[in-house]
Amino acid sequence: MKRTQIALADGRELIYFDERDDAVRDQPDRRDLPPPPPASQLRYDPLTDEWVAVAVHRQTRTFLPPADQCPLCPSRGDRHSEIPAPDYDVVVFENRFPSLSQRVADEPAEITPFTPVRPGRGKCEVVCFTDDHNASFARLSPHRVRTVLDALADRTTALSALPGVEQVFPFENRGVEIGVTLHHPHGQIYAYPFVTPRTRDMLAAARRHAGRTGGNLYADVLAAERAAGERVVASNEHWTAYVPAAARWPFEVHVAPHRPVPDIPALDDAERDAFGPLYLDLLRRFDGLFDLPMPYIAAWHQAPVRIDRELGHLHLQLFSIRRAKDKLKYLAGSESGMGVFINDIAPERAAELLRAA
């Protein structure tokens, strides 16, 4: 893989990850762009012990443009996009409308004595999987998936080294039902200046389990699911894809390496090569469930950058809000108000349907 880094017209960083060593990426960004926005504002919620980002500039971000105006397609002729080259394999660049960034402005210390404020220091990046606007992740080759995984490893390492970054979160949103604002196949990476609430909860449970048993909680749960087999959808020598016994979403699958590792950079070559074929098969099963493109979120759970890394176990959580061909799962009162999920499909039935898809 060849790595080439350039600067866009407004100073943002862009990196090409090419599968050919002879790829030339010297095309300049010819657009006239305004300066990037300053960092968002983080406000502390004392009632939940959580930080909320207020990023008002995101109201003006690009929303579902027609294909001939897609900012993630390559630049060709007189049409200039976020990617200056006329073609590419995988590209990563800083989001033009980031929730978090390194461009920090002065902020007040607090809004009330109970609500301190701090800059939204961090970074948000866009990951383009292919230059084909009409493709999808499920239609990538295993070789391209390996390139994407190597790019995510590169960016996890680089973002983890930034001052103040505590957690790195790569993910993909797919489908207008999920809320995507661009159709082009892409994902994102958030580098947070705190450990996220979901990860804090998982680490607390893992810490309690380690204190009781001395074991790694996720590794022990994975071993139990592999032994039971009822909710396993697919597996190979290095990875298992299974529906969690307490799945929250109608169709939810964890894809986990058999060897406990904290993050994507820790995966070895054999594990990285084995991920693509299994994950592509799983995505095609998702699309085959209702013979429709399945809306989904694919979320990589990585250990925090600086603390409790021994408690983590890398895994990908893939889930969809579609519960039937003509029905979506909405977060209603119990889920949105109280955080208590109610699943309409038994996890064992979901696994059965996915195996048969």
Side-chain angles (χ1 to χ4, degrees), residues 110-147:
E110 62 181 30
I111 293 176
T112 77
F114 299 101
T115 309
V117 172
R118 61 173 168 147
R121 184 187 296 275
K123 205 165 187 185
C124 292
E125 296 184 335
V126 177
V127 185
C128 297
F129 308 134
T130 171
D131 61 6
D132 183 355
H133 180 85
N134 298 311
S136 67
F137 203 107
R139 289 170 53 191
L140 301 180
S141 67
H143 184 62
R144 175 58 53 83
V145 176
R146 170 62 196 263
T147 304

Side-chain angles (χ1 to χ4, degrees), residues 140-217:
L140 301 180
S141 67
H143 184 62
R144 175 58 53 83
V145 176
R146 170 62 196 263
T147 304
V148 172
L149 208 57
D150 287 344
L152 295 182
D154 176 285
R155 300 315 301 150
T156 295
T157 299
L159 294 172
S160 297
L162 292 177
V165 167
E166 300 295 335
Q167 186 175 347
V168 178
F169 172 51
F171 64 98
E172 180 195 0
N173 296 336
R174 189 239 191 153
V176 292
E177 301 92 336
I178 288 293
V180 298
T181 56
L182 297 172
H183 287 298
H184 196 109
H186 72 287
Q188 299 181 64
I189 309 173
Y190 275 33
Y192 296 104
F194 48 78
V195 178
T196 61
R198 178 71 185 273
T199 301
R200 282 193 305 171
D201 290 345
M202 294 172 69
L203 289 172
R207 196 176 300 111
R208 291 191 297 269
H209 179 81
R212 290 193 307 266
T213 70
N216 178 288
L217 177 57

Side-chain angles (χ1 to χ4, degrees), residues 15 33 35 47 50 63 143 186 210 225 247 258 286 300 310 324 346:
I15 306 169
L33 297 177
L47 301 179
E50 296 176 4
F63 182 78
H143 184 62
H186 72 287
E225 289 289 358
H258 298 160
F286 262 58
W300 281 104
E310 74 284 356

